[in-house]
Amino acid sequence: SLSAGLDLPGRFLFATLTLMTLIAILVFIEEAVYIYRKIPSSKRSIIIWINAAAPVISTTSCIGMWIPRSAMFTDFTAGIFFAIVIHKFLMMMIKECGGQKVLLRRFENGHFTISTGPCCCCCPCLPRVPITRKTLFWLQLSTFQFAVFRPVLVFLSIVLWTNDNYILYNLSPRGPALWISCIVGALTLFALWAVGIMFRKVRILLKCKNIIPKFALYQFIVILNQLQITIINMLATQKIIPCAPPLSSTVRGSYIAHQLLIMEMFLITVISRVVYRRKYHDLEPPECVAEEPRDKKQTP
């Protein structure tokens, strides 16, 4: 087994990373109990889903660290869960604004700026889009499609893999891995683009609800879970990460990526507990916000 071939420093590292995973799970459970008791039911499940992203990725990475052959399945599981979390984060921003109806009233004559990352950050000439029920529907659809199609593509990949047609690190144009990866990448960009458009509009309004640090944590999870793993896998495929028998270069690259993710997700879990636990008041309705300056002028 893998643990039998480890030296003393290796066993200490494995034990430490496993302990960090267990602590992250316990921190999340404690935070979920707090959210269930203190947060209104309309936001409760969404916030719990978002807080669960880091512990779930840490758990799948721990399994992949102990069982290197399961790396494809653990990465797929983390990817499916994170696809759902992206949609939940967009819905959380809408909920924090008071819901769709209140958001439309609050930004009745407003516009969405679509020249934002990751798709159109280099296109400032793009027109601004009015905030209507239809545009909100398209933003929600952009994240929902990723939560639906990512599991479908994962299922297709596993079916092809069982038939020896899908090789994760074979990125030749004749193999399905390259095309499935390109489709997943395009769907991911569209989903992240929708979240970026919404955040750019509501970040000032929801500043009192810590939306900026929440979005920063969300972005860190995106970068670490998607970009970091992709870069390490590319380095392993090109043999830049050397093999260490009995582990090949690709298995060792996955092995390193999982160890890094465990440490990073542990830190994000602890920071998320601080960010999401801070108490704040609900936003006042649009009528109160509009009348507030007038009342202050009349105050002697």
Side-chain angles (χ1 to χ4, degrees):
S1 63
L2 180 60
S3 58
L6 293 174
D7 54 4
L8 184 60
R11 293 185 180 184
F12 178 76
L13 176 62
F14 269 55
T16 303
L17 294 176
T18 305
L19 180 62
M20 293 173 71
T21 302
L22 293 175
I23 294 174
I25 294 173
L26 293 176
V27 170
F28 164 70
I29 293 174
E30 189 269 340
E31 181 65 13
V33 172
Y34 176 85
I35 291 171
Y36 186 80
R37 295 176 58 186
K38 301 292 184 179
I39 303 297
S41 58
S42 59
K43 307 174 186 176
R44 190 181 297 156
S45 63
I46 292 177
I47 296 178
I48 290 177
W49 268 94
I50 296 172
N51 274 269
V56 168
I57 294 173
S58 180
T59 303
T60 57
S61 299
C62 186
I63 296 173
M65 178 186 69
W66 281 100
I67 311 173
R69 293 177 182 269
S70 67
M72 186 177 73
F73 297 98
T74 56
D75 291 345
F76 281 166
T77 303
I80 290 173
F81 191 88
F82 187 67
I84 299 172
V85 168
I86 290 178
H87 178 66
K88 294 289 184 180
F89 194 88
L90 178 72
M91 299 305 298
M92 184 192 73
M93 289 190 287
I94 297 175
K95 289 284 186 182
E96 294 286 26
C97 290
Q100 184 170 319
K101 292 182 180 179
V102 176
L103 187 145
L104 290 173
R105 277 191 295 155
R106 196 178 292 275
F107 299 107
E108 187 175 359
N109 298 318
H111 292 78
F112 283 125
T113 303
I114 62 175
S115 56
T116 184
C119 290
C120 301
C121 53
C122 300
C123 304
C125 57
L126 290 176
R128 301 174 68 197
V129 179
I131 300 176
T132 62
R133 191 177 299 274
K134 184 177 180 179
T135 54
L136 276 181
F137 169 78
W138 282 110
L139 288 180
Q140 295 177 54
L141 184 63
S142 297
T143 56
F144 184 74
Q145 55 84 20
F146 187 49
V148 171
F149 288 118
R150 183 66 186 270
V152 173
L153 291 172
V154 166
F155 177 76
L156 177 61
S157 301
I158 293 175
V159 171
L160 293 174
W161 176 77
T162 56
N163 199 33
D164 296 330
N165 293 327
Y166 182 91
I167 302 174
L168 184 61
Y169 302 107
N170 182 12
L171 299 180
S172 65
R174 296 182 179 181
L178 175 64
W179 301 106
I180 292 177
S181 299
C182 290
I183 294 173
V184 170
L187 297 178
T188 306
L189 289 177
F190 277 113
L192 296 177
W193 186 34
V195 175
I197 292 171
M198 178 63 71
F199 171 75
R200 188 167 180 176
K201 189 62 186 177
V202 304
R203 61 183 176 181
I204 303 301
L205 179 65
L206 298 182
K207 189 176 181 180
C208 62
K209 297 203 171 188
N210 299 328
I211 194 63
I212 294 177
K214 290 176 183 177
F215 185 78
L217 291 173
Y218 154 83
Q219 289 283 76
F220 276 123
I221 296 176
V222 171
I223 294 171
L224 297 174
N225 188 49
Q226 301 292 327
L227 188 60
Q228 176 180 267
I229 289 181
T230 302
I231 292 174
I232 293 177
N233 287 341
M234 289 175 60
L235 294 176
T237 304
Q238 299 300 320
K239 308 297 182 182
I240 297 176
I241 297 177
C243 63
L247 301 178
S248 64
S249 298
T250 54
V251 174
R252 189 162 179 256
S254 175
Y255 180 75
I256 294 172
H258 288 148
Q259 291 181 336
L260 290 174
L261 276 176
I262 291 172
M263 294 183 284
E264 293 157 352
M265 293 303 115
F266 171 78
L267 294 176
I268 290 177
T269 301
V270 175
I271 297 172
S272 296
R273 182 185 181 278
V274 177
V275 171
Y276 281 87
R277 179 160 291 217
R278 290 184 61 184
K279 296 180 180 179
Y280 45 75
H281 300 288
D282 287 337
L283 291 173
E284 297 189 14
E287 294 80 3
C288 298
V289 175
E291 293 175 1
E292 186 178 355
R294 186 184 304 172
D295 295 339
K296 287 185 178 180
K297 290 181 181 179
Q298 294 177 358
T299 303

